[in-house]
Amino acid sequence: MSTNVEKEAGSTEPVKDTNQPETPVAEVKKKREYKDFGHEEEKATHAKVDMSEIQLRAEDLYDKDKVDLETIVVDDVFKLLQCTEAGLDSAEATRRIELFGPNRLEAEESNPFLQFLGFMWNPLSWVMEAAALVAIVVSNGEGMPPDWEDFIGIVLLLFINSTIGFYEEHNAGNAVKALMDSLAPKAKVRRDGSWSEIESAILVPGDMISFKIGDIVPADCRLIEAVNISIDQAALTGESLPQSKKVGDQCFSGSTCKQGEAEGVVISTGANTFFGRAASLVGQDDDSTGHLQKILAQIGSFCLIVIGTFIIAEIFCLYAGFRYHYRRGINDILVLLIGGIPIAMPTVLSVTLAVGAQQLAKYKAIVTRITAIEELAAVTILCSDKTGTLTTNKLTIDKTTLKTYGPFSPDDVILLAAYASRTENQDAIDACIVNAIGDTSRARAGIKLLDFKPFNPVDKRTEITYREESSGKLKRVTKGMTGIIIELCTRNKNEDLENRLEADVEEFAARGLRALAIAYEELDGDDHEAEGNGFELIGLLSIFDPPREDTKQTIDDAMALGVRVKMVTGDQLAIAKETGRRLGLGDHMYPAKVLKDGPEPGGRFNTLDEMILDADGFAGVFPEHKYEIVKRLQGLGHLCAMTGDGANDAPALARANVGIAVEGATDAARGAADIVLTEPGLSTIVHAIRGSRVIFQRMRNYSIYACAVTIRIVVCFSILAFAFKFDFPPFMVLVIALLNDGTIMTLSVDRVLPSSTPDSWNLAEIFAYAIAYGFYLTLSTIALVAICIRTEWFHRKFGVTFSQGNFSAALDHNDPKLHTIVYLQVAIISQALIFITRSHGWFFMERPSVALFLAFCLAQLISSIIAAYGDWGFTDIEPIEGGWIGIVWVWDIVWFAPMDLIKFAMKATIIKWLRERHETAVQLETKQAASGVPITRTQSRAASLHESLYSNRVSFLRRAANKVGFRQKVSVKPEELRRFSSIQAAQTGSVLARHPSRPAA
C-alpha cells in the first residue's frame, strides 16, 4: 500500500461522477495543480496562557498574544478539555452532558397544556367563547338567572373538540417521533477504556471518537490518528473536492468520511459546532402561515360573515321591529352563534390529517410536516433524483458491451481491472468490478501486491503494481477516467485508437452506460517504483445503474394521476436521456447550464421558464440548480414535489411545496423534508400521492358540509324568527352540534375515491355547493313549520297534536312540542347531508365507511330518544309521540331524495362555469409568467395575521431545516476553519475550567 497518504488520499469515487467528458492534455495538466491543494505545513505552537486558569471571553479568543488560534497543538487541546487518549469515564461523560447539553440541535418542545389550549385559539373558537360569555354574563337580566345550561354546554363542546384534536395530535406526534428516533445517527466512542457504539446525541467534548469510510462525522473534533483519510465537507464549507486530512486537523460535524479511518477528540457538540453556528448565522425561513391555514381562514371568514350579517339583521328586526325583551333577543342571537360556527372544523381537519399521516406510514412514508399531506394532493410536478430513486443505485458491469483493444480477452480485462481495485474498504466502482469476476478472492490470487495507489479526485484513477507469482514478472495495471488513462498509454496510442475509444465512449453514454478505461504495462527489473515499458490501453468497461423493476410502471401511474415526473440528475446529459427513454419519461432533457445561460437565441423557446416547463429532465445538476428549478416551476403556478438525499439538497427540499427525503438521505436532508421515505424507489411517492388525495377528498367533503350547515342554521332560524317570531332553544342547538361533531369525526377514516387529477381548494365551488344545500335544507324546515303553524293538516291526516291538545301551533308559535319537532327534523337531515357531499355521483353508489354509517345511526337514535323522552324545562321542549317522530322521518326522507339532483344541476351549471373561469385565469397567469411578466400577489398585514390565527394544530414537528438553517451555502477559507476549531477548543476548555472535575487517574 502506498505510504504517500497526503498526496494520494482522496475521495472514493462518487457514483454520480464516474464518467467525465474526455479530458485534453491541457486540462489534465490544470487538474494536476490540485495536487498541491491541501494543508500547508505550519510549525505548531502552544497556547500562550496558563491552562489551569484560562477563562477567556469570546472576543479574547482572537488575541494571538494569548492563543495562536490557527496552530494550537493537539496536546494543548487535551489539556484544555481535561481528557486523555484513553477517553472519558461514564461518570465524567454524564457530568459533561449536563454541562454542555446533548449533541444535537434541539427541536422546539411544546407545552402539552398550552398545546391543548391552542385548539381553542382561533376565530371560530373565539365566537363560541363569546357565546359562552353571552350566556353567563349578558343573559343575566330581567330577574332571570344566568343561562348556566347553555354556558356549560358550550364549554363542554369546546373541551370535547380540543380533547379529540389533542389526543390525535399527540398520538401522531409520538408515532412520527418514534420512527424518526429509529433513524438517529450512531457514533463509535471510547469510554471507560473500551470502544462502543452510542447515539451521537450523547457525545460530549473530550470524548474520543472513531470513524471510517461512509460514516458521518458525529461532532466537531481534532484528529489524533489519520490513515489515508479524506473528508467531504462540501455541505458545510462549499469546497467542491473532498479534503485530505492529517493528524491535528479538524473535522466538522455533518461532514462525510469518503476514505480511510481516523480517531479524534471531540472539541464541540450540538449548537456550538460549526454546523450549529452556521445555522444561527444563516437564519430561518419559517412559513408560519401554510396553505391549509389560508384555506381555513377563508372558510372561517365566510362563516363569520354569514353569521355576522344575520345577527345584525336580527338585532334590528327583533329589537327595533318586534320590540323584543332583552333576554328573548339574546337567546335568538345565541342560536346563531352556537349553531352557525363550525367549531369542529380545525379539529376535524387536524384529525383527518393525523390519521392520514399514520396511514401513509404504512407505505413507509414518514410525514414530518402534517399539512404537507394536503399539499401533496395538489402536486402537479414531481422532480425526482435518478440514482437510487428511479434506478437501483447498484452499479453493475455489463459484460456484453465490454470493449477490448489488445491481446487480452474480456475476462482477462475484468480480472486485471479487479487487480486495480480495492478488496476491502471499497467504493462502489471497486465493489462492482470485484464482484464481476465471481469469486472475489481471485482479485488477489496468484499475485503479490507491491504498491497500490487508491483513487483520488485529482488523478481520477487507481493503480496497482504487483509481482505475478507464476512468472515472477513485475506488472502494473491502472483503471480510471477515459481521458486520463488514454494520455498515459504511450505504447499503443494513435489517432485510430483515440477515435475508436471516443466512439465507444459516446456509444456507452448514449446507452446510459459509464465508461471505465483499463491500461497495462510491464516493468523490467525488481524495482516496483521504476518506470514501466509504457501503458497500453487494453479495454473499456461499461458500468450502469439499472432502472428499478417497478419504476416504469410507477411513472405511468404518476402520469395517470396527472403528475408529471421530471428527472433531475447529476449524471451526464446522454446518460439522462437514455434513462428517460427507457423509463418512458422522454428525452427532452437539458444540461444544467441552461439555467444560467437561458435558451439559445432563435430556438423554439422564448424564455427559460418555457424551457423548464417543457423539459423532461435536467442533467449535471447541483443542489443550487434544484432550488432554481423548483422556484421557477412554482412561479409558473405549479405545486412541486422535490426529492433529495444530501445536505446541500436542503434548500430545494425546503423551497418545494413538498420536500421528500429519499431512503438513505442525510440528517440535514431529512430535517428539511416534509416527507421522509424509509424504502427506496419512486413507488412509495406515488402511493403517498394517491393516499394524500384520499385525505384531501375527506377534508373537502367536510368543508362543503360545514359551510352548508352554517348557512342552514343561520338562515333558517333567522327567517323563522322574522316570519313567525319563532324562538328556538339555544341548548338544543348545542345538542345538534355535539351529535354532529361526534359523527363527523369518523370522516377521517371514510371510504372515498381519490381524484384522478391533482386536487386544489376551489373555494368558490365549495361555497356554491354550500349555499345551494343550505338554502334547500332551510326550505325543508320552513315548510314544515309553516304547515304546523298555518294548518291542521298533520292532525287531520295522522291524529297528532301539539301541547295542551292543540291541533296546530297557530296559538303559540313557540309551542314546546314544535321546538322538539324542529329539533328532530334539523338533526336528522343536517347529518344526512354528509352522504351527499361525500359522493361524486348518486349517494347510494358510493358506500361509506362502517364507522361513518354506524356513527350516523347512533346519532339519529339518540336524537329520536331525546325527541321521545326529553322533558327538560330549561330547554322549552316537550316529548312528542311516535306519530310525530314518524312524520319527521318521512318528511326528511322525502326532502333528502332530490338532493343528488341538486348536486348534478350545480355541476352542470354553476360549477361548470366556475371551473371554466378558473382554468381561464390559470392559463392567463401561466402565459404572463412564461412571457416574463411577474405575477405579484400582495397581502395585507391584517390578512396575514388573520390566516396565522388558523395555524394548523397538528404542528408537532418543526422542519429541522428551520433549525439547521440550510438556506444558503456557508463558504469559509481553510485558515478560518482552523481558527474556528481552535476557538471551539478554547471555549470548551474555559467552561471546563470553571467546572473542574477530579484529576484523571
Side-chain angles (χ1 to χ4, degrees), residues 699-749:
M699 294 192 295
R700 179 182 178 276
N701 296 343
Y702 171 73
S703 299
I704 296 174
Y705 170 82
C707 293
V709 169
T710 292
I711 294 173
R712 186 261 192 285
I713 295 289
V714 172
V715 176
C716 174
F717 288 113
S718 295
I719 293 177
L720 288 177
F722 301 156
F724 303 109
K725 296 184 179 179
F726 181 81
D727 306 324
F728 192 70
F731 187 81
M732 298 313 296
V733 174
L734 270 174
V735 175
I736 292 173
L738 187 61
L739 292 175
N740 275 356
D741 289 353
T743 302
I744 295 306
M745 290 295 173
T746 59
L747 273 180
S748 61
V749 293

Side-chain angles (χ1 to χ4, degrees), residues 533-822:
N533 61 358
F535 277 109
E536 172 186 0
L537 182 68
I538 62 172
L540 191 69
L541 300 180
S542 61
I543 302 175
F544 74 112
D545 180 11
R548 301 178 62 84
E549 293 181 359
D550 62 343
T551 298
K552 191 176 189 311
Q553 181 60 48
T554 300
I555 290 174
D556 293 341
D557 292 343
M559 291 180 175
L561 291 171
V563 178
R564 187 174 175 188
V565 181
K566 292 181 183 289
M567 183 195 301
V568 181
T569 177
D571 267 332
Q572 291 183 14
L573 181 60
I575 295 175
K577 285 185 175 183
E578 177 65 19
T579 305
R581 284 192 288 266
R582 292 185 183 187
L583 296 175
L585 281 176
D587 57 2
H588 290 169
M589 299 192 185
Y590 305 98
K593 68 178 182 179
V594 302
L595 297 172
K596 179 181 179 181
D597 301 340
E600 295 180 0
R604 55 182 291 213
F605 302 111
N606 296 322
T607 66
L608 178 58
D609 286 339
E610 285 184 21
M611 177 178 281
I612 291 176
L613 194 58
D614 174 79
D616 295 319
F618 295 89
V621 301
F622 291 105
E624 54 268 28
H625 297 140
K626 287 186 175 184
Y627 185 92
E628 182 69 15
I629 292 168
V630 170
K631 183 179 178 181
R632 287 186 174 272
L633 287 173
Q634 288 174 331
L636 292 171
H638 290 276
L639 266 70
C640 294
M642 171 65 82
T643 67
D645 58 2
N648 260 2
D649 289 332
L653 292 175
R655 173 77 194 193
N657 299 94
V658 182
I660 302 171
V662 299
E663 190 266 343
T666 63
D667 289 342
R670 289 202 301 259
D674 306 308
I675 296 176
V676 178
L677 305 183
T678 58
E679 277 192 356
L682 193 67
S683 60
T684 304
I685 301 174
V686 174
H687 280 307
I689 291 174
R690 192 177 286 111
S692 68
R693 292 189 185 178
V694 168
I695 296 162
F696 182 93
Q697 286 299 317
R698 293 168 180 161
M699 294 192 295
R700 179 182 178 276
N701 296 343
Y702 171 73
S703 299
I704 296 174
Y705 170 82
C707 293
V709 169
T710 292
I711 294 173
R712 186 261 192 285
I713 295 289
V714 172
V715 176
C716 174
F717 288 113
S718 295
I719 293 177
L720 288 177
F722 301 156
F724 303 109
K725 296 184 179 179
F726 181 81
D727 306 324
F728 192 70
F731 187 81
M732 298 313 296
V733 174
L734 270 174
V735 175
I736 292 173
L738 187 61
L739 292 175
N740 275 356
D741 289 353
T743 302
I744 295 306
M745 290 295 173
T746 59
L747 273 180
S748 61
V749 293
D750 188 26
R751 181 186 291 108
V752 296
L753 297 175
S755 171
S756 59
T757 57
D759 288 310
S760 63
W761 285 101
N762 192 329
L763 291 179
E765 281 188 28
I766 290 175
F767 295 152
Y769 276 124
I771 291 170
Y773 294 146
F775 277 111
Y776 180 79
L777 295 180
T778 294
L779 185 61
S780 73
T781 304
I782 292 175
L784 177 64
V785 173
I787 293 175
C788 289
I789 291 177
R790 303 296 188 191
T791 73
E792 298 178 357
W793 189 79
F794 286 122
H795 172 70
R796 292 197 307 270
K797 292 293 184 180
F798 306 106
V800 291
T801 60
F802 293 89
S803 297
Q804 299 178 355
N806 294 328
F807 297 160
S808 74
L811 297 177
D812 182 6
H813 292 184
N814 286 297
D815 187 292
K817 282 193 174 182
L818 181 58
H819 287 165
T820 307
I821 292 168
V822 171

Side-chain angles (χ1 to χ4, degrees), residues 4 89 149 361 395 412 432 490 517 580 655 698 740 760 776 811:
N4 191 5
D89 57 36
E149 296 83 5
L395 296 184
D412 291 336
C432 80
T490 57
R655 173 77 194 193
R698 293 168 180 161
N740 275 356
S760 63
Y776 180 79
L811 297 177

Side-chain angles (χ1 to χ4, degrees), residues 111 118 156 160 280 415 523 662 672 750 781 783 846 950 962 998:
N111 184 301
L156 182 65
I160 288 175
S280 63
L415 182 60
L523 286 75
V662 299
D750 188 26
T781 304
E846 297 180 26
Y950 288 87
N962 296 337
R998 64 182 185 276

